[in-house]
Amino acid sequence: MKHLINTVNMMILLTMTNGCVPPRAVDVQWDNLPSVPDPVGFAGAYAGVSGGSLVVAGGANFPEGTRPWSGGVKQWSDHVFVLGEGSGQWTQVGALPRPMGYGASVTWRDTVIIIGGADQHRHYADVFAMRYADGALQISPMPALPAPIAHTCGVLVGDVIYVAGGLSSPNDTVASAAFFALDLSKPADERQWEVRESWPGAPRMLAVAGSVDGDFYLLSGVSLQADAADAVPVRSYLSDAFRYRPGVGWTAIAGLPHAVAAAPSPALTGPHGQLLVFGGDDGRLARQASPMKDAHPGFSSGIQAYNPLTNQWAADGTLPVDKQANPETDPNASTWAPVTTAAVLWNNRYVLPMGEVRPGVRTNRVLAVKYEAK
């Protein structure tokens, strides 16, 4: 059963290069879809649409009742769940070739394509096509990436998949500048990933991908720097942004007001051509995450909108955060702004399945929002 969170009438002002146009009204409706049937939930899951159903697969969590600072060990999942339109519950329909997560995923012609990712031992270059039809799940291999990659971002632009950034291995101390493309319009036996020119900025992981009018966008993320005094690389939170136009190349665009690392990806292309980024980690509490433990308040709930016509960012509302009693010990009773989740369009809704709601803590909740131009 869908639980209505709120409905907001939002006025979006689009400024043209030759002046201003009247505000355009947009109805914004948030819902809670049925929760995924896991007591904890997963971050880093793959997501897409096949057979008319919403599909989520893989990801990782810390077992129920544990945290990384209390000895909890991250567990990786191979479960594949589907939610049919109008269904009140998810169904587990199969398993991935291995427990894995934190790659990229796109939907192309009723097929969910899962790209790269990791498990507790290594990162992968594997790519798989996943189809769900007549109650059965089919998974088949596709051309592998040129190199292993996890904590990456990607999006489908027309028939081309673009994947940018990430980490090549669990022990990397520098993020990747990899930019790969796969043209699905080619015959299957001619498809091969291409290595494209990198963006004119720092290598990064946990960035947000997006697409507007045939262009690819790379937004925010974090870079890594090795610290001689510490085995753990130091993260720098990035607010810069870039556009890639096929046949032209990269252009730096206006930076975001703040970092949105690990925000749901890909970003939503709104009804008036704006690019919408939901929440993300702005890095303000990064150094305090360990001492705060379960007192961490969660990640940013702000929504940022980019207007390609004016090359400007603007605040555009918030996610529906709703903290109930005992959010420290019962996080799944509350609604949070999730990060490290693969956003997906399903039946005109932008769906955020599960994710991480504060450091080390997952949710099994599934948020969905619908933007409709009046």
Side-chain angles (χ1 to χ4, degrees), residues 184-210:
L184 298 173
S185 68
K186 294 181 177 179
D189 59 355
E190 296 179 14
R191 293 174 190 161
Q192 186 174 0
W193 287 91
E194 299 177 1
V195 178
R196 299 283 179 89
E197 176 188 5
S198 183
W199 56 94
R204 65 198 61 211
M205 58 183 283
L206 300 176
V208 179

Side-chain angles (χ1 to χ4, degrees), residues 13 15 253-255 257 274-275 305-314:
L13 181 63
T15 303
I253 63 172
Q274 71 276 36
L275 199 62
Y306 175 72
N307 184 341
L309 297 176
T310 62
N311 189 32
Q312 292 178 331
W313 290 92

Side-chain angles (χ1 to χ4, degrees), residues 2-70:
K2 301 174 188 176
H3 304 287
L4 182 65
I5 298 175
N6 60 14
T7 301
V8 182
N9 286 331
M10 186 176 297
M11 304 300 290
I12 297 178
L13 181 63
L14 293 182
T15 303
M16 307 297 288
T17 56
N18 61 347
C20 294
V21 295
R24 298 179 181 179
V26 177
D27 281 336
V28 182
Q29 179 177 304
W30 284 95
D31 294 300
N32 261 325
L33 301 184
S35 296
V36 173
D38 181 274
V40 178
F42 300 97
Y46 306 94
V49 177
S50 185
S53 295
L54 182 61
V55 182
V56 298
N61 64 20
F62 293 91
E64 189 174 12
T66 71
R67 298 286 190 266
W69 51 83
S70 64

Side-chain angles (χ1 to χ4, degrees), residues 50 80 93-95 111-112 128-133 135-141:
S50 185
V80 180
V93 297
T111 300
V112 182
F128 298 98
M130 186 164 54
R131 289 179 62 89
Y132 177 70
L137 181 72
Q138 296 180 338
I139 300 178
S140 55

Side-chain angles (χ1 to χ4, degrees), residues 24 32 48 95 153 155 159 180 200 203 236 258 285 290 300 330 336-337 340:
R24 298 179 181 179
N32 261 325
C153 68
V155 70
D159 287 319
F180 303 139
S236 294
H258 55 75
L285 299 177
S290 293
S300 170
D330 188 15
W336 307 76
T340 58

